[in-house]
């Protein structure tokens, strides 16, 4: 008996949103081109990941810009202390400057260490920069030399503050203002 069109249509029903596959496996098979694209993309990803990891390990760490500010603060403190011998009549002002510049240096060192961090076991990274210790001047400096040094420190801190953001910028702005006060009030 010949099959009727309605009976044949009832035997093959296809859901409108499912793809038609004539193979007997439930998962679609990948053709050779798709496999090559998949393998090539994976190989490219591995090479790119290796290059990025290699660059990250080989790149030297950039020095913290606050290290120069710490050195400047410690130098100013030493000069202010040494200047007491040259200007004993200004000893109180010079001691104040030395104390405050030492506090600036210590605060900068705390920030430098905070950014470097500490490992979970309490050790510090090997790229840690040791605190700087400038040499004391051989001859007692004059108040004018201290004034020049503080003016340079004030300008340097202000310039660096404009390139940073957040706490670091605020810290440098505060140090710059303190140096301006030292020059404009304590050393006049």
């Amino acid at each position: 008996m010949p099959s009727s069109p309605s009976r044949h249509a009832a035997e093959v029903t296809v859901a409108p949103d499912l793809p038609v596959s004539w193979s007997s496996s439930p998962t679609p098979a990948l053709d050779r081109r798709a496999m090559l694209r998949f393998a090539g993309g994976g190989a490219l990803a591995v090479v790119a990941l290796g290059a990025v990891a290699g660059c990250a390990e080989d790149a030297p760490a950039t020095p913290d810009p606050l290290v120069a500010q710490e050195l400047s603060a410690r130098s100013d403190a030493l000069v202010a202390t040494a200047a007491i011998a040259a200007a004993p009549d200004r000893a109180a002002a010079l001691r104040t400057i030395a104390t405050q510049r030492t506090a600036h240096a210590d605060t900068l060192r705390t920030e430098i260490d905070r950014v470097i961090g500490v490992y979970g076991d309490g050790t510090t990274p090997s790229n840690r920069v040791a605190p700087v210790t400038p040499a004391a001047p051989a001859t007692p400096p004059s108040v004018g030399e201290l004034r020049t040094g503080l003016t340079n420190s004030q300008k340097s801190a202000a310039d660096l503050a404009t390139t940073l953001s957040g706490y670091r910028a605020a810290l440098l702005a505060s140090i710059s203002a303190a140096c301006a006060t030292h020059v404009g009030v304590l050393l006049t």
Side-chain angles (χ1 to χ4, degrees):
M1 202 188 286
S3 65
S4 67
S6 63
R7 183 174 176 206
H8 189 48
E11 289 176 10
V12 179
T13 352
V14 177
D17 48 333
L18 295 177
V20 177
S21 174
W22 298 109
S23 67
S24 61
S25 68
T27 58
L30 292 174
D31 65 346
R32 188 172 71 177
R33 285 185 184 174
M35 286 298 290
L36 289 174
R37 273 185 259 148
F38 180 72
L44 183 62
V46 168
V47 169
L49 184 61
V52 168
C55 290
E57 292 174 7
D58 295 338
T62 58
D64 194 313
L66 297 185
V67 172
Q69 295 298 314
E70 178 193 10
L71 177 61
S72 176
R74 293 201 190 281
S75 296
D76 290 344
L78 281 174
V79 170
T81 303
I84 293 173
D89 57 319
R90 294 183 163 207
L94 295 172
R95 276 193 209 98
T96 300
I97 292 170
T99 302
Q100 289 181 1
R101 290 302 280 154
T102 300
H104 294 162
D106 293 343
T107 304
L108 288 163
R109 173 49 49 184
T110 300
E111 175 61 12
I112 292 165
D113 290 345
R114 183 197 67 79
V115 168
I116 291 173
V118 176
Y119 293 131
D121 63 356
T123 60
T124 56
S126 62
N127 64 347
R128 184 181 199 128
V129 178
V132 292
T133 323
T139 60
S142 68
V143 173
E145 290 173 310
L146 177 60
R147 186 179 294 117
T148 301
L150 286 169
T151 301
N152 292 338
S153 296
Q154 182 268 325
K155 181 168 179 10
S156 173
D159 290 345
L160 185 57
T162 61
T163 65
L164 300 176
S165 63
Y167 173 75
R168 291 179 145 220
L171 175 62
L172 290 171
S174 175
I175 289 171
S176 177
C179 289
T181 301
H182 293 156
V183 171
V185 177
L186 294 177
L187 295 181
T188 56

